[in-house]
Amino acid sequence: MTIRLRAHHLLCMLTFAGKGYTPAFVASYKAIVKRLNDGAAIELVDGPDDICVPMLNDNTCHCYNESVRERDRLAAHNIGLLLSGKPLSIGPLRLSGEDISRLRLAFQDGSIRQACAGCEWYELCTGIAQTNFRGCRLRPPQ
């Protein structure tokens, strides 16, 4: 089954180490990363995705905010330029092990983190990147 991801979550998944907004959010995210590790297909979507699902019924849900949509636009632009020379577009997305490695290197050097500016998880993700992503749950595809 295909996993629906918004563009900025392609950055978030690089450093996901089992922390998140709520226990339900973390459990859902772990299951999504397991499916990615098992080879599930990715579909890039515009707006809330499978990672957002546990938060969508919360009155304070930020998943529809314009600031989050701007994160998606920035991430799609930067990730796409790195991987293919053009911004990512909505639809199926295939990430190879080499792609994940390239994304992580660019994440470490900050060249694709424009979408991360102002994020409450910025320092956590920076620390994880500085340890060469030790403890991250996403494995590069084989």
Side-chain angles (χ1 to χ4, degrees):
M1 184 170 201
T2 300
I3 296 173
R4 298 167 15 97
L5 291 177
R6 62 189 320 157
H8 87 267
H9 282 160
L10 295 171
L11 296 172
C12 300
M13 72 181 189
L14 297 173
T15 60
F16 179 69
K19 299 188 185 295
Y21 298 102
T22 65
F25 177 87
V26 171
S28 176
Y29 207 143
K30 286 179 181 177
I32 289 167
V33 170
K34 181 184 181 321
R35 289 175 48 212
L36 289 169
N37 287 339
D38 290 343
I42 297 171
E43 179 176 354
L44 195 64
V45 297
D46 181 23
D49 62 5
D50 293 341
I51 291 173
C52 297
V53 168
M55 304 199 47
L56 294 178
N57 291 327
D58 185 342
N59 290 337
T60 62
C61 177
H62 62 267
C63 299
Y64 295 101
N65 292 354
E66 183 55 33
S67 61
V68 178
R69 296 178 75 79
E70 179 62 13
R71 286 187 200 285
D72 290 335
R73 284 189 287 277
L74 291 169
H77 179 80
N78 292 327
I79 292 168
L81 288 181
L82 175 71
L83 297 180
S84 68
K86 61 182 180 177
L88 295 177
S89 56
I90 301 305
L93 177 66
R94 171 83 174 111
L95 293 176
S96 67
E98 181 181 329
D99 291 336
I100 299 293
S101 295
R102 289 177 64 201
L103 288 169
R104 284 190 165 149
L105 286 173
F107 191 95
Q108 280 179 315
D109 73 21
S111 62
I112 61 169
R113 292 194 67 192
Q114 186 180 6
C116 304
C119 176
E120 67 185 281
W121 301 98
Y122 188 90
E123 294 303 322
L124 174 73
C125 295
T126 298
I128 290 169
Q130 289 172 345
T131 66
N132 288 322
F133 302 91
R134 186 174 57 239
C136 290
R137 296 182 177 263
L138 181 69
R139 294 186 315 268
Q142 300 300 321

